[in-house]
Amino acid sequence: MFRAIANALSTVGSAVATVVTLPFRLLAGLFGGASRSGRTRRA
C-alpha cells in the first residue's frame, strides 16, 4: 500500500520536474543561440 503511494508520488514528482525544467531548457537554448548568432551577425 505505502509502496504504491510512494511509487505514484515519485512518478508525479519526476513528471513535474520535467515540465518545470523544460521551459528553462528552451529559454537557455534560445538565449544561447541568440548570443551565438548575435556575435556572428553585423546587426
Side-chain angles (χ1 to χ4, degrees):
M1 176 79 179
F2 288 114
R3 188 171 290 173
I5 293 172
N7 283 340
L9 283 177
S10 68
T11 303
V12 169
S14 64
V16 169
T18 303
V19 170
V20 167
T21 53
L22 264 176
F24 291 108
R25 283 190 205 163
L26 288 175
L27 282 174
L30 281 176
F31 285 120
S35 65
R36 262 184 258 133
S37 63
R39 269 183 233 148
T40 56
R41 278 194 208 144
R42 288 191 215 150

